[in-house]
């Protein structure tokens, strides 16, 4: 991909790029919808992601192009939130890199020409937008010699998605893309920003972790995600805490809330934080095979308490378990996207066949499968061309 991207950049812009950068997508092993509640998450990076060839320019403009989008976008680095400018749908993808550039302008970043490529499926709940942001952030940091470490860069990329794109997400995706390491999951405290790497090697335990792209695409900039976040904020306000992460007595909290919807939201967030801590304990004890129960409990909670699952996700988990999987759950914000399935390696083919058959019986588009191998975080792939 790197050589082809460099050649394409040179053809389009009439000069060689200063380098190529890569940022991965992520899978969240466990800890869903806890990030925007100041809670705990446990993601790991995928080998799939977004690459960008980049070079600075001196006119104060950001020109972004993609090998997967017909529309090229040129916009000034100086400007307010992109979301307020009413960009057309065919330009919407460019709001992420332009938004990052506008946030990084505070640190001396100027114009740039950017050409993107990706092998990460969009709409699959694997953080393609965060990979786009983090590849941009890392490239612009290096192009302009900005003195920002990776945790700070992740926070700025997160800010860009919130302020520039208008997506009220938590910081997990950007942190995972920039901070993860191969063979590890990332235990992240979304309030403090502190993180630690936890060894995670399913293959060493004779297991495989599959990502199942259900082909039910999602778009979290719609109202459902924002509504869930607002419900959590309202529940925290009624309970007199800064965020649901601060609820320590679940029984008392559920008793204090009259609204059954808010009770369900609180129950999910509080128990999901506990599942993150329990999962870290299992990983440190090398009890990877025992993760299945955590995944199953998380999925049921997301389906019944947080109400963000969708038919293909529920069918995927059910078919996988019936075929011998250890566990499975939806990942990402919900309402479409992907599922992860933990399965004995020697049963992976049987589990895939069972899932495909379940989709065929319902007349759904066949799912796509990816091996979820814990991989390294974002990095510069090439130096400046000579």
């Amino acid at each position: 991909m790197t050589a082809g991207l460099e050649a394409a950049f040179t053809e389009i812009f009439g000069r060689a790029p200063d380098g190529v950068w890569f940022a991965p997508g992520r899978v969240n092993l466990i800890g869903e919808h806890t990030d925007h509640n100041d809670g705990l998450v446990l993601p790991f990076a995928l080998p799939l992601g977004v690459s960008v060839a980049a070079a600075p320019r001196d006119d104060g403009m950001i020109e972004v192009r993609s090998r997967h989008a017909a529309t090229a976008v040129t916009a000034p680095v100086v400007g307010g939130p992109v979301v307020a400018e009413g960009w057309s749908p065919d330009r919407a993808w460019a709001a992420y890199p332009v938004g990052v550039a506008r946030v990084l302008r505070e640190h001396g970043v100027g114009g740039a020409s950017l050409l993107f490529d990706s092998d990460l499926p969009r709409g699959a709940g694997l953080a393609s937008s965060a990979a786009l942001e983090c590849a941009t952030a890392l490239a612009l940091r290096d192009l302009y010699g900005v003195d920002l470490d990776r945790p700070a860069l992740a926070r700025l990329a997160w800010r860009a998605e919130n302020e520039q794109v208008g997506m009220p997400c938590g910081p997990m995706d950007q942190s995972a893309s920039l901070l993860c390491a191969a063979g590890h999951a990332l235990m992240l405290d979304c309030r403090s920003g502190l993180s630690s790497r936890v060894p995670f090697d399913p293959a060493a335990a004779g297991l495989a972790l599959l990502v199942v792209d259900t082909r039910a695409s999602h778009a979290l900039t719609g109202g459902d995600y924002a509504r869930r976040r607002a419900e959590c904020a309202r529940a925290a306000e009624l309970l007199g805490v800064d965020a649901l992460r601060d609820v320590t007595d679940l029984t008392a909290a559920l008793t204090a809330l009259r609204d059954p919807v808010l009770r369900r939201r609180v129950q999910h967030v509080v128990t999901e934080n506990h599942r993150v801590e329990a999962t870290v304990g299992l990983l440190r004890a090398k009890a990877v095979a025992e993760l299945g129960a955590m995944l199953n409990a998380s999925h049921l909670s997301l389906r019944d308490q947080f109400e963000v699952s969708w038919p293909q996700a529920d069918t995927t988990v059910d078919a996988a378990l019936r075929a011998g999987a250890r566990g499975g759950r939806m990942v990402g914000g919900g309402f479409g996207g992907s599922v992860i399935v933990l399965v004995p390696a020697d049963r992976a083919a049987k589990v895939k066949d069972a899932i495909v058959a379940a989709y065929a019986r319902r007349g759904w588009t066949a799912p796509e499968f990816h091996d979820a191998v814990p991989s390294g975080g974002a990095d510069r792939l090439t130096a400046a061309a000579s």
Side-chain angles (χ1 to χ4, degrees):
M1 182 186 293
T2 300
L5 189 59
E6 289 178 313
F9 184 100
T10 302
E11 181 178 353
I12 291 169
F13 295 108
R15 58 174 174 148
D18 276 30
V20 175
W21 291 258
F22 171 82
R26 64 91 188 96
V27 165
N28 188 22
L29 183 60
I30 203 156
E32 219 65 79
H33 285 281
T34 50
D35 61 341
H36 58 80
N37 287 287
D38 283 358
L40 308 174
V41 293
L42 192 65
F44 62 90
L46 290 168
L48 307 174
V50 173
S51 297
V52 60
R57 50 193 293 165
D58 59 10
D59 61 356
M61 304 297 287
I62 292 287
E63 183 176 1
V64 294
R65 295 173 179 262
S66 171
R67 302 182 82 181
H68 302 278
T71 303
V73 175
T74 302
V77 177
V78 176
V82 176
V83 69
E85 296 180 2
W87 287 13
S88 59
D90 64 328
R91 290 162 53 93
W93 72 273
Y96 297 95
V98 171
V100 168
R102 288 184 176 177
V103 168
L104 282 173
R105 181 176 174 272
E106 302 168 4
H107 298 272
V109 163
S113 298
L114 307 171
L115 177 63
F116 294 94
D117 200 355
S118 175
D119 58 5
L120 189 66
R122 294 183 63 189
L126 303 177
S128 59
S129 59
L132 184 59
E133 292 160 352
C134 291
T136 302
L138 199 61
L140 293 177
R141 184 197 72 169
D142 290 354
L143 289 178
Y144 282 92
V146 177
D147 186 18
L148 287 171
D149 62 15
R150 285 174 178 255
L153 203 62
R155 289 275 169 172
L156 287 170
W158 170 48
R159 251 189 65 200
E161 185 149 351
N162 278 256
E163 298 173 7
Q164 293 286 331
V165 183
M167 172 58 195
C169 63
M172 173 182 66
D173 292 351
Q174 295 80 8
S175 297
S177 190
L178 281 161
L179 302 179
C180 278
H184 292 75
L186 185 77
M187 170 64 156
L188 175 67
D189 183 325
C190 293
R191 169 172 286 167
S192 68
L194 297 176
S195 65
S196 61
R197 292 167 176 168
V198 183
F200 179 42
D201 185 1
L207 299 166
L209 190 64
L210 306 176
V211 173
V212 186
D213 180 355
T214 69
R215 308 293 295 281
S217 184
H218 72 162
L220 294 184
T221 48
D224 288 327
Y225 182 94
R227 190 174 304 113
R228 293 301 184 280
R229 182 161 182 164
E231 289 164 349
C232 291
R234 177 58 177 159
E237 180 184 8
L238 292 172
L239 293 171
V241 295
D242 291 336
L244 294 185
R245 188 259 182 77
D246 299 312
V247 174
T248 56
D249 187 335
L250 179 58
T251 300
L254 297 180
T255 301
L257 293 170
R258 295 183 179 181
D259 186 334
V261 172
L262 298 187
R263 286 201 295 268
R264 291 197 295 272
R265 306 300 183 253
V266 170
Q267 184 166 347
H268 167 72
V269 172
V270 174
T271 58
E272 188 79 347
N273 276 316
H274 292 325
R275 283 188 284 272
V276 173
E277 293 177 316
T279 299
V280 170
L282 290 172
L283 291 181
R284 294 199 186 282
K286 302 187 185 304
V288 180
E290 305 305 315
L291 295 182
M294 294 293 110
L295 301 181
N296 293 336
S298 177
H299 183 75
L300 292 176
S301 183
L302 288 159
R303 185 191 72 184
D304 300 335
Q305 305 301 328
F306 219 69
E307 298 174 285
V308 293
S309 190
W310 63 101
Q312 288 90 335
D314 298 334
T315 296
T316 298
V317 172
D318 181 66
L321 293 176
R322 291 177 183 274
R326 293 275 188 173
R329 74 174 193 90
M330 59 149 284
V331 295
F335 312 107
S338 295
V339 169
I340 54 171
V341 176
L342 184 69
V343 57
D346 59 2
R347 298 186 70 86
K350 181 178 180 180
V351 168
K352 289 180 182 179
D353 289 344
I355 295 170
V356 169
Y359 277 51
R361 287 194 296 272
R362 291 161 176 80
W364 294 338
T365 301
E368 292 185 351
F369 298 91
H370 305 281
D371 291 328
V373 179
S375 302
D379 205 357
R380 184 169 186 158
L381 301 182
T382 69
S386 56

